[in-house]
Amino acid sequence: MPKLIWREPITATTIVNRPPAPGGPPDLETLPKAEPDLQPDAAAVEAAEAAPRRRVITLGDIAGRESGGLVVLLVAVGALTLASDEFLTGNNLANLARQVAIFGIIAVGQLVVILTAGIDLSVGSVLGLAGASTAQFLVAGVPIVPAFLLGVAIGAGLGIVNGLLVTRAKLPPFIATLGMLGIARGIVLVTTDAQTIQGLPPAFQAIANGTILGVPNLLIVAIVVTAVMWFVLSRTVFGRYIYAVGSNPESARLAGVPVRLVTTSVYAISGLLAGLGGVLLASRLGAGIPTAGTGFELNAIAACVIGGASLFGAKGSALGAATGALIMGVLNNGGNLLAINAFYLQIAIGVLILVAVGFDQLNTRRSAAGG
């Protein structure tokens, strides 16, 4: 609903009650006038009310909920730049971009589900199944483009199944996607006999390992995915529907939002992007690994939360999810450069998650108290 953001100033009128003059009604011009300093200046009142109040513009006003993640990212990049001479080298940045790109793609898919107050625990297993299946298609002689599309379609199909389990079977998202996690991982282990699929065509490997004008292809794909999802969420009716469902499904239904269709669609998007990530990972590694993607679902959720998304729905953005994935990638990359124990990095990421959720809850309580 549009909010009223402008109010016309109302000029105050002073009513003076005086006894009538003898012999008839008084002449208005002969009445004594009030002292000038006791009467309000209508022009001054109008100017004071119309003048906007000055307020200091903060990073939160510019970047929104992603401001905290951006601050953490800048601090991490600055610290690693000072601590390691290899961090800003071209080779390291290219490797960092390839590592973060796949996490970012999955995180953006996870975000659209989280915006509806749902969760998708199956993205890691779906990624592994899509990548291994694509490798099997290629080894069997299927051309690169059809094999690529089939791998992505597998992810989208499993995402649709997740959405139907949530909307039609009325299963909680946690349970539905947890079941799909086991199903997808079991299927890939059975179909590959838990063996790595090798011998993929060089042209397929060039998809993820190639560059365009020195920029890694994976980074370009991740940027395109993030930009498209940002546009969908912020500039389309479907994006408004996603936020509405996450805010209050019943109110959204009464307002005419197709809640079931929107919910099924976000799980399909999450599965599609997980499938895309699986195909790109197989291309990057040059092999279909049946155990690929293990634990990726937790990393995707962590990236969304660190980037400002709320697990209660309706809060978050594609830029925030990509920022969260980049923060995790920078921490892992910096830990490797500085030879920091990987266990300490897990502790640091866990602390970031707790801090991000704590700040979100604090802001929510403050908004409720002030509203």
Side-chain angles (χ1 to χ4, degrees), residues 131 134-135 138 144-145 147-148 200-209 278-288:
T134 302
L138 292 171
I144 293 177
V145 174
F148 191 104
L200 304 187
F204 176 73
Q205 299 182 41
I207 295 176
N209 295 308
V279 175
L280 293 176
L281 183 60
S283 173
R284 178 170 177 253
L285 300 178

Side-chain angles (χ1 to χ4, degrees), residues 223-325:
I223 292 175
V224 170
V225 169
T226 303
V228 169
M229 195 53 60
W230 171 85
F231 179 82
V232 170
L233 292 176
S234 61
R235 294 292 185 270
T236 67
V237 175
F238 178 68
R240 296 296 94 192
Y241 283 174
I242 292 176
Y243 283 101
V245 171
S247 178
N248 191 318
E250 183 60 22
S251 297
R253 184 186 65 82
L254 295 176
V257 176
V259 176
R260 286 184 176 180
L261 179 60
V262 171
T263 304
T264 304
S265 299
V266 297
Y267 284 97
I269 293 172
S270 178
L272 183 147
L273 293 181
L276 175 62
V279 175
L280 293 176
L281 183 60
S283 173
R284 178 170 177 253
L285 300 178
I289 302 176
T291 58
T294 302
F296 280 25
E297 59 278 348
L298 299 181
N299 290 332
I301 296 171
C304 294
V305 173
I306 293 173
S310 173
L311 293 178
F312 297 98
K315 295 179 181 179
S317 69
L319 178 60
T323 302

Side-chain angles (χ1 to χ4, degrees), residues 55-64 67 71:
R55 190 171 67 86
V56 177
I57 298 177
T58 63
L59 181 61
D61 298 322
I62 300 174
S67 58
V71 170

Side-chain angles (χ1 to χ4, degrees), residues 17 23 31 38-39 45 47 66-67 80 87 102 118 128 141 158 179 183 204 226 272 289 304 332 346 353 359 361-362:
N17 186 14
L31 288 177
L38 299 180
Q39 292 291 335
V45 172
E66 299 80 19
S67 58
L80 290 174
F87 180 72
I102 295 176
L158 294 179
I183 294 172
F204 176 73
T226 303
L272 183 147
I289 302 176
C304 294
N332 289 324
Q346 293 182 3
I353 294 173
F359 272 117
Q361 291 298 298
L362 179 62

Side-chain angles (χ1 to χ4, degrees), residues 82-100:
L82 297 176
S84 175
D85 296 334
E86 299 179 2
F87 180 72
L88 291 182
T89 60
N91 290 334
N92 183 66
L93 292 179
N95 291 331
L96 175 62
R98 292 187 176 95
Q99 293 170 3
V100 172

